[in-house]
Amino acid sequence: MDITPTDSALPPPSRGSVTRIGDRVFSGLARGSGIFLLVVMASIAVFLTIRATHAISQDHANFFTSFEWDANATPPVFGIGVLIYGTIVSSVIAMALAVPIAVGIALFISHYAPRRLATPLAYVVDLLAAIPSIIYGLWGAIYLVPHLKGLNLWLDEYLGWTGVFDKTDPEGAARSLFTVGILLAIMILPIITNVSREVFRQVPKMHEEAALALGATRWEVIRMSVLPFARSGIISASMLGLGRALGETMAVATVLSASPVLSAKLLDPVGGTFAQNIAAKFGEASPFGRDALIASGLVLFVITLLVNGAARLIIARRKEYSGANA
Amino acid sequence: MSHTIADKAPAAVPATRRLSQRRMPRWAPAAIAAAAILLGIGIGLAAGLESRIQWGMIALLLFVAGTYAVTTAVEGRRQAKDRVVTSIVWACFIVAIVPLYSLIATTISKGLKVLNGDFLSHSMGGVITIQPGGGIYHAIIGTIEQVGIATLIATPIGLLTAVYLVEYGKGKLAKAVTFFVDVMTGIPSIVAGLFILTVWVLMLGNGPSGFAGSMALTILMLPVVVRSTEEMLKLVPNELREASLALGVPKWRTILKVVLPTAIGGITTGVMLAVARITGETAPIMLLVFGSQIINNNPFEGGQSSLSYYVFEQFQNGNDASYDRAWAAALVLIAFVMILNVVARGIARWKAPKTGR
């Protein structure tokens, strides 16, 4: 509404806000973009569910417990038993290896490293987080797998009695869930380190100085003032890493020699994960086979959604971390 | 004043020295480390262990145990614990650096073997996979087009969403958007690929194309752009907005002419980091673009290749010539991503908003 000098003598009664065309259009666009994002998320869930229910209704085996993946056959037989197991086992191995080391590196950067080393180190870790997963996959398959042979032999010989580290063919290539776990650990290391470091930096200096003033050693400072403050941050950092490990495709597809066998022997080259199975079976899938793969993708989507949602809720409880997840 | 302090200082020093504990000399950790390494090598040689990694492990264990024993004897248990944790933290750092260093070193050394002008300017058209030769020209074209289209779609939507969250957003809708942006960051790339496959290919009946891949990349890029832009817009001081609004400038012009230009450096950085992230995505390309051996300049029709997919394809061929090409393409990909990262961070530092903090 134009306010010119002539009609300013009688200003219209205040209506809270002046509506301008430009403002309406712009705020509408901004709001629309936000809604578009929600629509995308919702339609991912809806469309995947539609195809998945179609596929599962035709399945002649139990979708959740069956091991076979033969969706192209008539009648189609497929199930995600092996995939759930493989996805969880490889991610758990990755977490068990990566979380302590990542927290160690984060502590190293925030509290132990000489200042001149800490800044470039933080920078390098940032860069490592950006390396594409296919390159980890290539390196894992060509370089890491042969180099893990010695470790596999050693584990088989000395820890084989546990059953977990028993290897059926000790001389075989290390294309197992265990190797995948190690590779995933290397991949998620930079992310967990970044977020934890960010949290460690936000520990109030006063807490640390108070502990130091009482005569605490550096470790005691960390145990008494840094770690308690950062606990929820470390948990959410780990869950972000877990989310990435669960959904990793290319690194697993290149390293793992997959087969539909569920085995507690982690060093045996068998098993599979959701993402790896989709990547491996997609090329030869019939139209129905694609729907079956979409059904397994939906399960993966739900799992990562739950993990990430939980991580974000933990972060949101401590508002000060909200800027720490770049 | 200074006079009295100078008088007292010499008397104070011996007093504090008596109060403090016995300390180990500064060279003690180095000496223990040297002893541990020597012992490790000795044990390794004596036991005939082949792997150098095992020697290192033994030396590391000896170092930690030795530090604990010596420090307990000299300085007490608390100090000993502190020193052990210090060595564990250092060990974490070294353990993590080894594989990451190896990854970069392997890629560079193997990649340089076939990387040259011909490799960058030729496609794989007419090259038999077991032969050396061929190149990544078609893959570079594919990557640039797919990532370019994704950036063109995702940047405006992402910017507007961030503007909504910072400048307009209140209530439930804004909260929901914030939460789902965060959750969307964690969507596996293969799920994004499957979604576009469902809608674009299976339901609408389109064939594989670079554009289909771009749409999946857009889904992966959007949340990253929103997050980083949001953080940057929050850094813009409120005084600038108020000054502009007080002059009677409409809100939308304030945002376009004052807020966004102030934060443009950080926004550019965020977009570039997002570009770097999606450049390396392989899974959606595999599902939606299918790859190609020849140059296809049209992203809207027919299969295309991309750098990341090319690496995977060559790896799958499984012969030495293909492995060489895979490493060289991986090197180009890493170099591209790294340059984007470094430039982005440079811009961030150069254009950082002056918040007075």
Side-chain angles (χ1 to χ4, degrees), chain A residues 79-98:
Chain A
I80 53 173
V82 173
L83 308 180
I84 288 189
Y85 174 78
T87 306
I88 292 176
V89 164
S90 58
S91 305
V92 166
I93 296 173
M95 296 296 286
L97 292 172

Side-chain angles (χ1 to χ4, degrees), chain A residues 205-218 221 224-225:
Chain A
K205 261 268 158 309
M206 293 299 233
H207 292 195
E208 292 178 36
E209 284 166 7
L212 281 173
L214 291 172
T217 60
R218 190 153 49 173
V221 170
M224 293 189 302
S225 67

Side-chain angles (χ1 to χ4, degrees), chain B residues 53-68:
Chain B
I53 296 171
Q54 286 175 341
W55 296 17
M57 293 283 190
I58 293 171
L60 202 67
L61 275 179
L62 283 173
F63 175 68
V64 172
T67 311
Y68 189 75

Side-chain angles (χ1 to χ4, degrees), chain B residues 13 16 25 42 65 70 106 124 130 156 162 190 200 209 214 227 252 337:
Chain B
V13 170
T16 48
V70 173
T106 316
M124 289 299 291
I130 54 168
I190 194 140
W200 181 254
S209 69
S214 300
R227 286 294 315 190
W252 68 278
V337 170

Side-chain angles (χ1 to χ4, degrees), chain A residues 16-318:
Chain A
S17 69
V18 189
T19 46
R20 293 189 178 92
I21 292 289
D23 262 347
R24 275 222 217 131
V25 170
F26 193 74
S27 73
L29 276 176
R31 206 183 157 83
S33 303
I35 293 172
F36 173 78
L37 236 128
L38 294 182
V39 169
V40 168
M41 280 300 285
S43 48
I44 291 178
V46 169
F47 283 109
L48 291 186
T49 311
I50 292 175
R51 304 302 289 203
T53 43
H54 168 64
I56 295 174
S57 65
Q58 314 269 319
D59 191 357
H60 278 241
N62 187 323
F63 179 66
F64 288 101
T65 56
S66 170
F67 292 174
E68 254 359 67
W69 193 278
D70 209 356
N72 294 344
T74 42
V77 177
F78 55 93
I80 53 173
V82 173
L83 308 180
I84 288 189
Y85 174 78
T87 306
I88 292 176
V89 164
S90 58
S91 305
V92 166
I93 296 173
M95 296 296 286
L97 292 172
V99 171
I101 296 183
V103 171
I105 305 174
L107 278 177
F108 181 78
I109 294 174
S110 67
H111 286 81
Y112 282 89
R115 170 114 351 137
R116 237 181 306 155
L117 196 62
T119 319
L121 254 181
Y123 191 68
V124 168
V125 174
D126 271 353
L127 286 187
L128 289 172
I131 292 180
S133 61
I134 180 67
I135 294 176
Y136 282 103
L138 183 70
W139 175 78
I142 297 181
Y143 186 87
L144 187 65
V145 166
H147 279 78
L148 281 180
K149 203 170 172 188
L151 178 68
N152 273 356
L153 284 172
W154 188 85
L155 284 173
D156 181 44
E157 196 175 332
Y158 294 101
L159 293 173
W161 52 270
T162 56
V164 177
F165 292 117
D166 184 23
K167 196 175 183 192
T168 315
D169 170 22
E171 290 296 324
R175 298 185 169 278
S176 58
L177 283 178
F178 186 69
T179 308
V180 169
I182 293 179
L183 186 61
L184 288 177
I186 297 172
M187 294 180 64
I188 61 178
L189 208 56
I191 309 166
I192 303 181
T193 305
N194 270 349
V195 180
S196 314
R197 190 193 78 219
E198 211 49 52
V199 177
F200 289 154
R201 251 189 14 191
Q202 289 165 359
V203 175
K205 261 268 158 309
M206 293 299 233
H207 292 195
E208 292 178 36
E209 284 166 7
L212 281 173
L214 291 172
T217 60
R218 190 153 49 173
W219 164 238
E220 284 161 348
V221 170
I222 286 168
R223 198 174 46 110
M224 293 189 302
S225 67
V226 176
L227 290 184
F229 182 87
R231 188 181 302 134
S232 62
I234 294 174
I235 293 174
S236 64
S238 314
M239 290 178 88
L240 290 180
L242 177 63
R244 181 148 176 199
L246 288 170
E248 180 45 50
T249 313
M250 303 322 289
V252 185
T254 50
V255 167
L256 188 67
S257 100
S259 61
V261 177
L262 192 152
S263 163
K265 299 178 178 177
L266 296 181
L267 299 181
D268 278 356
V270 294
T273 74
F274 282 110
Q276 170 272 329
N277 185 56
I278 296 170
K281 298 283 163 60
F282 183 78
E284 63 210 27
S286 64
F288 181 79
R290 289 182 177 184
D291 282 357
L293 291 174
I294 288 172
S296 75
L298 177 67
V299 179
L300 176 63
F301 176 64
V302 171
I303 294 176
T304 49
L305 213 60
L306 291 178
V307 169
N308 278 298
R312 298 299 174 175
L313 284 180
I314 294 174
I315 296 179
R317 272 210 317 226
R318 304 283 296 257

Side-chain angles (χ1 to χ4, degrees), chain B residues 133-171:
Chain B
I136 54 170
Y137 181 73
H138 61 308
I140 294 178
I141 296 279
T143 291
I144 290 176
E145 285 181 353
Q146 289 150 24
V147 171
I149 293 173
T151 311
L152 284 183
I153 304 174
T155 309
I157 298 179
L159 281 186
L160 280 169
T161 307
V163 164
Y164 169 72
L165 289 177
V166 176
E167 308 286 339
Y168 294 100
K170 281 189 199 80

Side-chain angles (χ1 to χ4, degrees), chain B residues 59-104:
Chain B
L60 202 67
L61 275 179
L62 283 173
F63 175 68
V64 172
T67 311
Y68 189 75
V70 173
T71 322
T72 310
V74 180
E75 295 182 345
R77 180 150 298 170
R78 284 177 53 220
Q79 302 294 333
K81 232 182 222 172
D82 182 50
R83 287 199 188 248
V84 166
V85 174
T86 306
S87 15
I88 291 175
V89 167
W90 274 86
C92 276
F93 165 65
I94 293 165
V95 163
I97 286 299
V98 169
L100 295 171
Y101 169 79
S102 149
L103 173 83
I104 306 255

